[in-house]
Amino acid sequence: MQYKSISADGHVNEPPELWVKNLPAKFRDRGPRIIETVKTKGHAWIMEGQTRPSPMGFSSMYTRGSKRFDRASLIDSFKQIKERGVRYEDVFPGSYDAKERIKELIEDETDAEVIFNGVQTVWNGIKLCPDKELSLACYKVYNDWMVEFQETDPTRFICNATLPTTGLKDCMEELRRCVDMGLRTVQLEAYPSGDFANPTPEDDKFWAMCQEMDIPVNLHVQFFFPAGDLLSKPTADAVAEMKQKMKTTRGLDISAGHFNTVVQRLTSTGVFERFPKLKFIGSEVHAGWVPYFMEKWDESVRRNRSEWTQPLLPSEYVNRNVWFVYTVDEMGAENRYNIGVDKMMWGPDFPHSSSCWPMDYQVGREVLERSGATESEIERIMWKTCADIFKLPYDEPSRISKAA
Amino acid sequence: MAVGPIVNTEGMEMAEKNKFKLISADAHIVEPADIFEKYLPAEFRASAPVLKDYKGGSAWFVADDIEPVVLPRTTKTGSGYREGTPLSTDGPIAYSDVLPALYDPAERLKAQYTDSIDAEVLYPTPGLWDAVKMLDDNALKLALVKAYNNWIADFCAYAPDRLIGLGIVPTSSVEDARDEAQRVASELGLRGMVLGAFPSGAAVGGNPDDDPFWEVVDRTGLVISIHVAIGNDQSTMPFGGIGGGEKPQMTNAVQPMVASGFFDRFENVRLVLAHADAGWAIHWLEFSDMYFLRHRHLSNYVLKHEDRLLSDYIRRHIWFTFHHDATCVRNRHNLGPAHLMWASHFPYDDTNWPDNRQQATRVTAEAPEGVRDNLLAGNVARLYRLPGFEQGFEEAALKEFVPLVHY
């Protein structure tokens, strides 16, 4: 098997009837289901304990208008769905049908793909659900489906298990169950204990398990801890405040999400010191911010050495334990030597709106080529690191790339 | 333009006229203990902040409902670099221990000389003025700010080409801000001001209510600085201790300024984002543009120049100070090399005083000589139109940067 591109970040949109059909009978009426919003006639997810439905957002769909060459058509389709909300008919069938997905991937010149869940939408409800038993059952239904999805073509799909936020024991048991079923990686929606804000010492049991089984841990931007505030005070005021905040920071905070905070907390509490082989991946976090982040962090540690309890510098842990997935990131590509050529992975975020489908591969290559990357660097970033981390067997390319 | 007074220190030479080699674009003073006694009109003196003993050190008592403001811990040592491990001081610093260079201009020149620095742009102590921002009494707020502005003008008169003091913009009202900006520019002769909050009380920039203030700025050419953060409830004190480099809060105020067409209305306004470095901005500019290009229809942008990107406005109107930030030097082609100004951050914990020359040399090491001269002195001298640089920037130099594709 030879690859030319492996996406480290792709998404599903969960099938509308996934939970209605598959939850245990006692939960079936209480789990996630699709409703039509009154005003925009779009589709939204709702389940027990959720007062506000989660509409399918702009990001869940894609339209056949390449960003770069046909922005007008992109803007047109956004305008359409602004007036009438997004419906399942609008999203690509490959979002929920693995066989269709293969066709879409082939058109995008993507050989394989790491699959993540559908971002906020249904997950708001599952994470916020006050009934932990119901919440856990929802995670399990999704993960069973992920196994099925991956089995359609395990050389093409590396599906993430979404780990429950209902407690450390549930999290670890579900990790074990998913790995036994053949999943090769996991995505977190909270710290392993279920805490949405801070790491806890008991999380070590989970990290130890991941290290021992060599299971990479993914953290995807924007849907890690989004509900933290909602959990503590799900009032109308809090929601309005959050919306206001999002409005004023549009285009600013969205790129790095909370990943840098999580990395700082894990590093400073010694998780990477205790688990040197743990693989921690930030998906869709991009990379252009990394060089300054690391430069300043190291400098602050050198200057405040007495306050730093770890034997290594922050950058030494990050260089060893952390990977960054970007979609399109010109400054990241130009700064690759200060991030690490082998710490960056290409992930076009298909089928979400930041993807350039069906030109993701071409754009991905072009960004790297323009930055002067060599063929072996391009291979490294476009697929090889991803294949290594997720243990996809491949034949070494016969070209100059052996050195990489 | 006369060079400032000769300093009577053996072996200390006067800076050769107009030959600036190293200028700090961001350093601080400490307000002298008697500043309000000496500079505040009598009627306000009873309610002025008072520097008093506090927990073994000194703190400004600003109002009953505001936490006492302790003196920054490194005002004793001039730097965290020289503090040693563990920290030599745990509690608040006593005013008697503060380096005289922080409130006495003659001493300040010696401190500059020790540090091989030819001139400094001088900022107030953020904590004190953050507390003043929170006062309810507008008349008092204005009087305090005026007192500071008068004091810093006197301080800098001692050596006007080496001490580049910034005034403070009052936040009592838009009219006060407008009038004080006019006074600072024409009567006090200061070259710039620090903006701690938008005078109208707006949370973000670009609010038309603030326009009377900006009109004066636009006309007078005052350079306006935002130091770390902006807003009545925001702390503008630089973050010390351990942490990664991140995008500062003030960008949340700047982006709406651009989006609202502010820079179309005020084409001469120049903003400095101070004490926050610039390495983060490569990502900020790229992704601001990408969201603008892809999703501009989802937000309200009011821009006169349809063909300009957000980053074009930002690059045109915004300057960055940088310190421990080789990332921005390496990426200067993207940020615009005329917009980067080295800063010492003296006397805060991240400064290298008295070894800043070595730090400045090291962090700019990869830039060729001509570019490096500008990063270390030329850009700040042109921005503030220091003696010998009154003509400011050449238009071409300001526009020099390598654009991205923005897929």
Side-chain angles (χ1 to χ4, degrees):
Chain A
M1 181 75 191
Q2 290 206 1
Y3 291 101
K4 68 174 185 181
S5 64
I6 302 176
S7 162
D9 180 24
H11 293 268
V12 292
N13 286 301
E14 294 76 7
E17 302 200 314
L18 181 64
W19 286 277
V20 175
K21 278 186 183 161
N22 297 304
L23 273 174
K26 61 173 176 171
F27 290 134
R28 209 156 287 174
D29 301 335
R30 301 164 56 196
R33 61 190 181 279
I34 285 287
I35 56 167
E36 196 175 75
T37 55
V38 184
K39 271 190 193 157
T40 62
K41 306 292 173 202
H43 281 152
W45 285 96
I46 188 127
M47 71 177 286
E48 184 179 284
Q50 202 179 357
T51 47
R52 292 157 40 84
S54 306
M56 301 288 290
F58 292 141
S59 66
S60 53
M61 67 172 279
Y62 191 72
T63 50
R64 243 174 223 272
S66 148
K67 303 282 181 302
R68 186 177 172 197
F69 299 108
D70 194 5
R71 286 206 171 103
S73 108
L74 173 81
I75 288 172
D76 254 12
S77 39
F78 272 131
K79 278 183 177 159
Q80 277 178 30
I81 54 177
K82 202 174 180 183
E83 281 146 28
R84 67 151 190 88
V86 177
R87 300 175 61 87
Y88 259 86
E89 300 89 273
D90 298 318
V91 306
F92 277 10
S95 288
Y96 43 83
D97 178 333
K99 289 206 170 70
E100 291 295 321
R101 179 62 157 238
I102 293 173
K103 293 182 205 161
E104 291 162 10
L105 284 187
I106 289 170
E107 189 172 349
D108 207 18
E109 299 182 71
T110 303
D111 297 325
E113 192 181 31
V114 181
I115 299 275
F116 287 81
N117 66 30
V119 200
Q120 279 129 0
T121 60
V122 68
W123 297 97
N124 288 343
I126 296 176
K127 282 196 274 187
L128 288 170
C129 181
D131 182 341
K132 290 196 170 183
E133 203 191 339
L134 169 58
S135 176
L136 178 61
C138 291
Y139 284 103
K140 287 184 170 175
V141 165
Y142 173 80
N143 290 335
D144 289 344
W145 177 62
M146 274 292 99
V147 173
E148 203 181 293
F149 198 99
Q150 179 173 282
E151 279 172 357
T152 313
D153 190 344
T155 66
R156 268 186 207 282
F157 298 127
I158 306 104
C159 291
N160 269 290
T162 299
L163 292 184
T165 52
T166 51
L168 184 67
K169 188 167 161 286
D170 291 347
C171 186
M172 290 172 67
E173 283 176 7
E174 186 62 2
L175 167 66
R176 171 66 68 191
R177 192 181 77 93
C178 291
V179 170
D180 286 348
M181 291 190 296
L183 296 185
R184 291 165 278 186
T185 182
V186 296
Q187 66 178 111
L188 287 182
E189 297 284 352
Y191 286 100
S193 67
D195 192 308
F196 284 100
N198 290 297
T200 56
E202 59 168 0
D203 292 341
D204 271 10
K205 289 179 189 157
F206 172 82
W207 305 127
M209 208 168 150
C210 290
Q211 175 170 275
E212 192 191 325
M213 298 194 293
D214 197 15
I215 293 294
V217 179
N218 283 287
L219 210 67
H220 194 285
V221 76
Q222 266 195 296
F223 58 104
F224 189 56
F225 313 157
D229 287 336
L230 290 172
L231 260 190
S232 55
K233 43 169 186 175
T235 61
D237 283 352
V239 173
E241 191 185 310
M242 205 169 160
K243 279 183 91 172
Q244 187 56 37
K245 216 174 157 188
M246 285 174 70
K247 218 164 148 187
T248 53
T249 58
R250 182 188 296 284
L252 290 174
D253 281 355
I254 209 165
S255 49
H258 299 272
F259 186 65
N260 46 6
T261 309
V262 176
V263 166
Q264 287 185 88
R265 288 187 181 155
L266 293 182
T267 310
S268 62
T269 55
V271 171
F272 299 134
E273 172 61 26
R274 294 190 295 279
F275 305 102
K277 291 186 175 167
L278 188 62
K279 293 177 178 140
F280 200 69
I281 304 162
S283 205
E284 209 187 327
V285 299
H286 311 304
W289 55 276
V290 175
Y292 173 66
F293 177 76
M294 298 308 308
E295 178 180 6
K296 185 80 181 168
W297 194 5
D298 276 359
E299 168 63 30
S300 72
V301 163
R302 287 198 190 94
R303 195 164 285 257
N304 301 279
R305 200 78 219 204
S306 63
E307 293 163 38
W308 182 248
T309 54
Q310 306 303 316
L312 302 183
L313 282 173
S315 62
E316 292 172 312
Y317 291 110
V318 173
N319 289 342
R320 185 178 71 193
N321 294 88
V322 179
W323 284 261
F324 306 94
V325 178
Y326 70 93
T327 51
V328 172
D329 188 339
E330 296 176 70
M331 294 317 297
E334 283 190 20
N335 284 274
R336 63 193 177 280
Y337 301 129
N338 293 95
I339 298 162
V341 174
D342 55 355
K343 307 310 284 185
M344 296 167 66
M345 291 189 277
W346 170 76
D349 196 32
F350 177 71
H352 286 178
S353 61
S354 45
S355 151
C356 293
W357 187 90
M359 304 180 57
D360 281 317
Y361 172 72
Q362 291 170 43
V363 171
R365 266 200 78 96
E366 192 182 320
V367 168
L368 292 169
E369 280 169 4
R370 273 193 97 251
S371 75
T374 62
E375 192 59 34
S376 58
E377 287 171 349
I378 292 174
E379 277 179 358
R380 183 41 71 200
I381 294 171
M382 292 291 288
W383 65 268
K384 230 177 186 179
T385 296
C386 201
D388 290 343
I389 286 184
F390 298 104
K391 301 196 194 74
L392 303 178
Y394 58 87
D395 300 321
E396 283 291 343
S398 54
R399 286 165 292 151
I400 56 164
S401 62
K402 287 222 168 88
Chain B
M1 177 85 204
V3 172
I6 296 166
V7 179
N8 299 317
T9 303
E10 201 180 343
M12 186 166 173
E13 292 162 26
M14 195 170 64
E16 196 186 333
K17 192 184 177 189
N18 300 344
K19 291 273 184 185
F20 294 112
K21 285 185 180 152
L22 187 60
I23 302 176
S24 169
D26 174 8
H28 291 259
I29 53 82
V30 165
E31 294 73 6
D34 59 359
I35 181 173
F36 299 122
E37 227 168 275
K38 285 191 176 159
Y39 283 83
L40 204 61
E43 71 259 39
F44 293 109
R45 239 167 263 166
S47 37
V50 189
L51 192 66
K52 288 198 275 199
D53 291 346
Y54 179 67
K55 294 186 177 173
S58 312
W60 286 101
F61 286 72
V62 178
D64 292 343
D65 55 349
I66 296 175
E67 280 281 295
V69 182
V70 297
L71 299 174
R73 69 178 199 196
T74 50
T75 52
K76 179 180 177 179
T77 51
S79 156
Y81 175 68
R82 287 286 166 113
E83 273 188 318
T85 308
L87 297 177
S88 48
T89 321
D90 289 333
I93 298 290
Y95 183 76
S96 54
D97 285 336
V98 169
L99 292 177
L102 295 172
Y103 51 77
D104 175 333
E107 292 293 325
R108 185 60 170 231
L109 294 196
K110 292 182 201 167
Q112 288 185 354
Y113 179 77
T114 311
D115 210 12
S116 310
I117 283 184
D118 299 320
E120 292 168 289
V121 179
L122 297 173
Y123 285 75
T125 304
L128 174 59
W129 298 98
D130 285 345
V132 169
K133 274 195 304 199
M134 290 160 69
L135 289 173
D136 296 325
D137 182 344
N138 278 334
L140 175 63
K141 264 160 90 163
L142 176 62
L144 292 170
V145 166
K146 284 182 152 182
Y148 177 84
N149 292 344
N150 291 339
W151 173 77
I152 192 73
D154 285 353
F155 184 92
C156 296
Y158 185 79
D161 59 341
R162 306 191 95 193
L163 304 171
I164 318 301
L166 301 182
I168 295 174
V169 179
T171 52
S172 42
S173 74
V174 177
E175 291 70 30
D176 291 347
R178 175 196 64 197
D179 297 345
E180 186 61 3
Q182 186 61 59
R183 189 180 80 91
V184 158
S186 52
E187 287 175 35
L188 299 184
L190 298 177
R191 298 165 195 274
M193 298 179 91
V194 190
L195 185 63
F198 293 104
S200 69
V204 295
N207 191 320
D209 292 347
D210 286 312
D211 280 4
F213 162 71
W214 291 111
E215 276 159 19
V216 176
V217 172
D218 195 58
R219 194 175 66 241
T220 57
L222 280 169
V223 178
I224 299 299
S225 283
I226 302 176
H227 189 271
V228 179
I230 184 164
N232 267 324
D233 54 349
Q234 296 291 311
S235 164
T236 64
M237 198 65 198
F239 171 77
I242 290 171
E246 299 187 26
K247 181 171 64 65
Q249 299 112 295
M250 57 192 163
T251 54
N252 294 343
V254 169
Q255 181 113 352
M257 289 179 95
V258 179
S260 70
F262 173 86
F263 291 111
D264 288 328
R265 300 206 293 282
F266 300 109
E267 293 194 340
N268 295 321
V269 169
R270 292 174 173 193
L271 291 182
V272 174
L273 303 188
H275 217 130
D277 291 338
W280 51 269
I282 58 176
H283 188 66
W284 181 52
L285 294 180
E286 179 177 358
F287 278 71
S288 296
D289 284 350
M290 194 170 348
Y291 285 105
F292 175 67
L293 286 167
R294 292 182 175 193
H295 301 305
R296 63 200 295 177
H297 48 285
L298 299 178
S299 303
N300 295 319
Y301 293 100
V302 193
L303 302 178
K304 197 165 98 187
H305 301 277
E306 289 268 319
D307 55 333
R308 278 197 203 160
L309 296 172
L310 299 191
S311 67
D312 292 332
Y313 285 95
I314 293 170
R315 287 197 181 90
R316 200 181 179 84
H317 294 278
I318 287 181
W319 272 255
F320 303 91
T321 76
F322 71 93
H323 187 39
H324 295 292
D325 185 2
T327 303
C328 81
V329 176
R330 195 182 310 117
N331 288 279
R332 63 190 179 277
H333 304 291
N334 174 264
L335 292 168
H339 293 258
L340 302 172
M341 308 184 291
W342 177 84
S344 68
H345 295 178
F346 176 64
Y348 289 160
D349 72 344
D350 59 345
T351 189
N352 280 31
W353 186 84
D355 296 332
N356 275 311
R357 187 172 59 83
Q358 288 87 334
Q359 193 277 338
T361 307
R362 198 167 61 240
V363 80
T364 57
E366 78 159 48
E369 200 180 344
V371 175
R372 188 192 229 186
D373 293 345
N374 287 335
L375 297 176
L376 297 182
N379 290 340
V380 61
R382 287 186 188 90
L383 180 65
Y384 291 96
R385 297 176 192 271
L386 300 188
F389 293 85
E390 289 88 350
Q391 76 284 8
F393 293 94
E394 284 175 24
E395 190 63 17
L398 282 184
K399 289 178 179 163
E400 184 195 332
F401 65 91
V402 179
L404 301 180
V405 175
H406 301 298
Y407 292 86

